[in-house]
Amino acid sequence: MTAGLWQNWVLPGIWITIQLTLYSAALATVVAFGVGMARTHRSRFVRFAAACYTEVFRGTSALILMFWLFFVLPPLLGWQLVPMWAAVLALGLSYGAYGAEIVRGALNAVAPAQREAGIALSFTPWQRMRLVLLPQAVPEMIPSFCNLAVELLKGTALVSLLGVGDVSFAAYLVRLATQESAQIYTVTLVVYFVLAFAITRSMKALERKTKANVGVVVK
């Protein structure tokens, strides 16, 4: 593989993959916490609406959703999403639904006595969530969120089907140009591994910090 192919295709592809992962993860995090907390709401209607969202987006393909946002939505609304943002929306909404279940499970795992203590202190529901429940639940979410983030990273390869020049699309172009598969796909595997390893180590450090804040030591 020549320096030109590396500089013009592979490196920009890696950067696009990183951007896709960061943007999609940011959207998925917002969705996960919003829908996950709604799943524990006092209102039956709010819980039902959140459960419907979770079931719909967990039960549909992220790839088909991506195609729907890019090919079907524009004629309905009269405006076109660029492939990058169609991909971010599809990945963020889909993986956010999985993350919502992580949030819901962690919140429900907090001891009922903690909720009762918040009520005894006359905290509002939002104060109980912010000051009592989330500080204890978030550290328990992080290992599962780490796995989800790695899956999201690998899921960004789907965007190559929309012609987005991520690292997997760049690898495909390099293979066409050089007719050599082994080298470029080995490099691509290494790139994904390095990015996944960086995510794993970052989340591990975040887990240590959040658990230290509630007095738990992580080895």
Side-chain angles (χ1 to χ4, degrees):
M1 185 169 56
T2 65
L5 292 175
W6 178 264
Q7 184 175 358
N8 295 325
W9 287 352
V10 179
L11 287 180
I14 294 172
W15 174 235
I16 289 175
T17 294
I18 293 172
Q19 287 181 292
L20 280 166
T21 303
L22 291 176
Y23 296 152
S24 300
L27 176 58
T29 300
V30 172
V31 170
F33 275 92
V35 177
M37 289 189 292
R39 292 293 306 274
T40 66
H41 199 271
R42 295 180 297 175
S43 168
R44 181 175 297 179
F45 173 77
V46 173
R47 294 198 306 271
F48 176 76
C52 287
Y53 175 91
T54 302
E55 294 303 323
V56 168
F57 282 90
R58 284 197 307 171
T60 54
S61 165
L63 176 60
I64 301 304
L65 178 60
M66 200 179 299
F67 286 159
W68 194 90
L69 289 171
F70 187 68
F71 295 112
V72 179
L73 192 62
L76 297 177
L77 299 183
W79 47 267
Q80 178 73 56
L81 283 171
V82 298
M84 177 83 164
W85 293 114
V88 167
L89 274 176
L91 293 171
L93 294 175
S94 296
Y95 284 87
Y98 291 99
E101 285 299 283
I102 296 172
V103 173
R104 181 189 65 81
L107 289 174
N108 287 337
V110 176
Q114 298 295 318
R115 300 173 185 267
E116 295 166 4
I119 294 172
L121 292 170
S122 300
F123 285 172
T124 65
W126 171 240
Q127 285 176 321
R128 292 199 298 272
M129 179 65 71
R130 181 172 59 88
L131 300 175
V132 179
L133 300 179
L134 282 177
Q136 297 179 69
V138 167
E140 304 306 320
M141 301 176 195
I142 292 177
S144 297
F145 270 131
C146 178
N147 291 334
L148 196 61
V150 172
E151 288 299 317
L152 174 58
L153 166 66
K154 293 186 285 187
T156 60
L158 296 173
V159 305
S160 62
L161 297 176
L162 291 182
V164 179
D166 73 315
V167 68
S168 59
F169 188 71
Y172 172 73
L173 294 179
V174 170
R175 186 185 68 82
L176 290 181
T178 63
Q179 298 300 311
E180 295 180 2
S181 301
Q183 183 181 15
I184 182 56
Y185 283 122
T186 300
V187 169
T188 305
L189 283 175
V190 171
V191 167
Y192 277 111
F193 171 78
V194 169
L195 293 177
F197 185 77
I199 290 172
T200 302
R201 301 312 299 171
S202 299
M203 295 295 276
K204 189 67 176 178
L206 182 61
E207 182 185 3
R208 288 197 188 95
K209 182 176 180 180
T210 55
K211 287 194 172 182
N213 290 339
V214 293
V216 177
V217 178
V218 180
K219 295 183 180 180

